[in-house]
Amino acid sequence: MINFTEVVFQDSVYNLKKLPEQLFPEIAFAGRSNVGKSSLINKLVNRKNLVKTSAKPGKTESLNFFKVEGGMYLVDLPGYGFARKDQKTRTAWQELISGYILSRIALACVVVIIDLRHELKQLDREMIDWLANNGKQYLLVYTKADKLSGNEQAKQAAALDAALNIRPTERLLFSAKNGQGCEELRQRLAEFAGEGKE
């Protein structure tokens, strides 16, 4: 039984040759540099500072592995987008992320985090298309839902759904502030991890 409240930091990986042994299904978290990825993971595991949050985009520079009790790894990927880093560093991050996602047999799902408040960004579309084209399982999470009223949430979610040509069942709404969608996300990830064990 996977227990998201029992989680420990395992390792930071800067080189694909240093990836840990593939013992359990892995859930990776991807999103643009300022989308609230760290806050989402912290809420998911009911911890305030397990994953360091930063006002500066581009804080995560490695693949950070967290072991969840019951047999799962959460993997925090470097954010993609406009982090104020030189081109060489951004290219290295891209190679680290793509190399991990394409080669990792244990990877059960990539959670793609999108800010509910804005129209679909090109980088998010490219990431989702790339995952789909490479046959990788992914789950869309529209975050920062607490910033919008119920009606605005529905309107923005429908616009993103239409832009991505998906059904509402293929994504969920989430708030790291008030916990909206947190329990559903845990259930969905546990299901993906179960699939990964087959």
Side-chain angles (χ1 to χ4, degrees), residues 100-166:
Y100 165 75
I101 290 173
L102 292 177
S103 67
R104 199 68 170 166
I105 294 168
L107 181 62
C109 175
V110 179
V111 176
V112 181
I113 304 162
I114 295 173
D115 192 328
L116 178 61
R117 300 173 298 172
H118 307 302
E119 63 183 34
L120 184 67
K121 299 286 192 284
Q122 184 62 27
L123 282 170
D124 293 324
R125 183 185 296 280
E126 288 171 5
M127 172 57 106
I128 293 159
D129 287 347
W130 181 77
L131 289 169
N133 290 337
N134 284 285
K136 298 300 175 182
Q137 291 263 33
Y138 62 88
L139 174 65
L140 300 173
V141 176
Y142 301 163
T143 194
K144 303 191 180 180
D146 59 277
K147 308 281 189 187
L148 301 175
S149 70
N151 285 341
E152 289 172 324
Q153 284 185 27
K155 184 179 174 185
Q156 283 295 110
L160 286 171
D161 292 347
L164 290 163
N165 194 27
I166 63 165

Side-chain angles (χ1 to χ4, degrees), residues 33-34 38-39 51-60:
S33 296
N34 61 338
S38 300
S39 298
V51 184
K52 299 293 186 287
T53 57
S54 172
K56 287 184 182 175
K59 180 86 169 144
T60 304

Side-chain angles (χ1 to χ4, degrees), residues 36-47:
K37 184 160 48 71
S38 300
S39 298
L40 179 145
I41 298 172
N42 283 332
K43 189 68 179 179
L44 182 69
V45 301
N46 201 29
R47 297 270 283 279

